[in-house]
Amino acid sequence: STVDLGGAVMRAGLAVDDGGYFGEEALARNGREGIWGGSFTTPSTWRRQQEGSDGTSILDVIRSWMR
């Protein structure tokens, strides 16, 4: 039998859907599994909040982490 690892990760609430596992993410959200068990900001929302908040781009933030 074949296991869909991506689906299993999504159902466990360990990832955010980017277009192929909407149903699995919905199950995890409704069941408050993994990252959906508490307060969580999606990566795309976090990036939008970071850009321009102090005049630096997200790329500048990443570059500073790598120094």
Side-chain angles (χ1 to χ4, degrees):
S1 107
T2 303
V3 175
D4 178 5
L5 184 58
V9 169
M10 292 299 298
R11 285 187 297 279
L14 302 176
V16 178
D17 176 47
D18 67 354
Y21 293 98
F22 177 78
E24 288 85 349
E25 182 180 298
L27 288 171
R29 281 179 182 239
N30 290 336
R32 304 196 52 81
E33 300 291 338
I35 60 177
W36 308 114
S39 175
F40 176 72
T41 302
T42 61
S44 60
T45 300
W46 182 87
R47 285 189 300 269
R48 270 195 312 277
Q49 291 171 343
Q50 299 308 305
E51 290 181 356
S53 63
D54 65 353
T56 59
S57 74
I58 191 63
L59 291 176
D60 291 333
V61 172
I62 293 170
R63 284 185 195 109
S64 72
W65 292 342
M66 300 175 87
R67 291 184 189 148

